[in-house]
Amino acid sequence: MACRICHSVLVTGSNRGIGLEIVRQLVDSPSGPVKIFASCRDPDGPRTEELQELAQKHQDVITVVQLVKNFSLDICSSASIKEALKLVENEVQEKGLNLIINNAGVNIPGSLADTEKSMMVDVYTSNVVGPMMVAKDFRALLCKAAAQFSHQTSMSCKRSAIINVSTLLSSITICPENFSLAPMYPYRVSKAALNMLTRCLAEDLKKDGILVMALHPGWVQTEMGGSEAPLTAAESVKGMLEVIANLTEKETGTLLDWKGNSIPW
Ligand SMILES: NC(=O)c1ccc[n+]([C@@H]2O[C@H](COP(=O)([O-])OP(=O)(O)OC[C@H]3O[C@@H](n4cnc5c(N)ncnc54)[C@H](OP(=O)(O)O)[C@@H]3O)[C@@H](O)[C@H]2O)c1
């Protein structure tokens, strides 16, 4: 049997799009995790039916977890991260949690003229504050997983890692080339901040043996990417999971695309 990608993983925004496809491919893979915690905002809502069906089929592997990350829309969301943490902790126990894929994200397209303050704040809150609070609250559980491998110094997703799903549009270096194609202020600014969060966490958590990196999925056919996108979610996620499975300490603090190519900050 192939070597497992890791023992346990938490995937945020897993009820549709790229997140749902990540859960689908992980559960179908012979080298997939033993435990997949699939988080979404509304486990009983109509947009979660597909995930619930998948979870029903693989009850021993998938646990659907409620995780509301938009603090400005829901003042209880901090409590929701803590509730999710309790549930995950209870299942993984002393093994800890190996991997978090911070996939949930939002794009409210806005040019300079039509971006309102509330759009900037809401997108920043979902795309940056959410992943930061998840990292903060789940850190101890990631450390627990990393400590199981204390006989080795190397970093990997098998040991303990945080993957922040970023975008090519976050790159300050590439901005002059693609700005006119997507003049999306709230999204670009928030994802550039997510990159800095990635860099800070990578430095901070190095001593704990936790790898942290940012991953661009490509332009993908989802509700966010639209039907014009060249990549299917299946193609993108296949590449992303291959990149994730092969990460080493060399890649901590980097921004890569779904094929493993480096993207300049
Ligand atoms: N598609 C692309 O071409 C593309 C390109 C580059 C990067 N990305 C990134 O890839 C990730 C996934 O995108 P996608 O294309 O799969 O988008 P999508 O189809 O629109 O799905 C977004 C997911 O994020 C969840 N979400 C959004 N805001 C949230 C919040 N405040 N709290 C909790 N959950 C929230 C959504 O939950 P609900 O169903 O409850 O809304 C949904 O599960 C995002 O981080 C995105 O920025 C996508």
Side-chain angles (χ1 to χ4, degrees):
M1 191 176 129
C3 181
R4 274 195 197 289
I5 184 166
C6 62
H7 182 267
S8 57
V9 60
L10 169 72
V11 184
T12 70
S14 65
N15 58 311
R16 59 190 172 94
I18 292 168
L20 178 62
E21 185 59 29
I22 292 175
V23 174
R24 199 179 277 133
Q25 290 194 22
L26 283 176
V27 79
D28 282 345
S29 164
S31 56
V34 174
K35 287 278 4 155
I36 301 172
F37 299 97
S39 86
C40 58
R41 286 198 266 213
D42 183 10
D44 302 316
R47 309 193 84 185
T48 310
E49 273 170 16
E50 245 182 289
L51 173 64
Q52 287 290 9
E53 263 172 45
L54 194 65
Q56 192 63 30
K57 239 173 78 185
H58 302 277
Q59 287 178 30
D60 47 338
V61 181
I62 302 175
T63 304
V64 178
V65 181
Q66 179 161 32
L67 191 50
V68 183
K69 295 204 312 183
N70 199 330
F71 295 81
S72 56
L73 294 182
D74 184 341
I75 51 160
C76 298
S77 54
S78 168
S80 122
I81 298 180
K82 297 219 158 40
E83 272 303 305
L85 173 67
K86 250 198 266 167
L87 190 152
V88 173
E89 212 165 16
N90 209 28
E91 291 216 27
V92 296
Q93 307 229 335
E94 287 315 303
K95 281 194 158 62
L97 177 70
N98 301 107
L99 176 61
I100 295 177
I101 304 181
N102 272 317
N103 161 77
V106 67
N107 178 10
I108 307 177
S111 67
L112 184 58
D114 42 54
T115 296
E116 301 294 337
K117 178 182 167 193
S118 62
M119 290 156 69
M120 289 301 289
V121 173
D122 285 350
V123 174
Y124 186 88
T125 306
S126 292
N127 293 357
V128 188
V129 183
M132 165 130 187
M133 292 302 140
V134 168
K136 180 183 165 194
D137 286 348
F138 277 81
R139 179 187 183 167
L141 215 50
L142 290 168
C143 282
K144 214 177 237 184
Q148 315 277 318
F149 294 74
S150 54
H151 52 287
Q152 47 175 268
T153 49
S154 62
M155 285 195 245
S156 66
C157 290
K158 192 177 168 66
R159 186 178 182 192
S160 194
I162 299 174
I163 310 297
N164 290 325
V165 180
S166 189
T167 166
L168 191 67
L169 301 181
S170 69
S171 170
I172 292 171
T173 307
I174 296 175
C175 186
E177 288 166 39
N178 62 18
F179 177 76
S180 60
L181 301 171
M184 302 164 171
Y185 277 77
Y187 187 63
R188 282 179 181 270
V189 173
S190 72
K191 290 289 189 175
L194 178 69
N195 291 349
M196 180 51 103
L197 172 67
T198 304
R199 208 66 192 81
C200 293
L201 287 171
E203 290 309 311
D204 210 1
L205 305 186
K206 208 181 269 179
K207 58 185 174 306
D208 299 322
I210 302 169
L211 185 156
V212 188
M213 59 86 65
L215 190 54
H216 163 56
W219 182 16
V220 188
Q221 293 159 21
T222 62
E223 204 167 304
M224 188 187 291
S227 55
E228 308 265 281
L231 280 176
T232 64
E235 289 164 336
S236 161
V237 169
K238 186 167 179 284
M240 287 170 79
L241 291 178
E242 217 169 290
V243 172
I244 289 173
N246 289 300
L247 292 171
T248 67
E249 58 270 30
K250 281 207 303 285
E251 283 85 32
T252 198
T254 61
L255 169 61
L256 302 180
D257 73 7
W258 63 287
K259 288 178 172 168
N261 299 314
S262 174
I263 298 176
W265 299 117

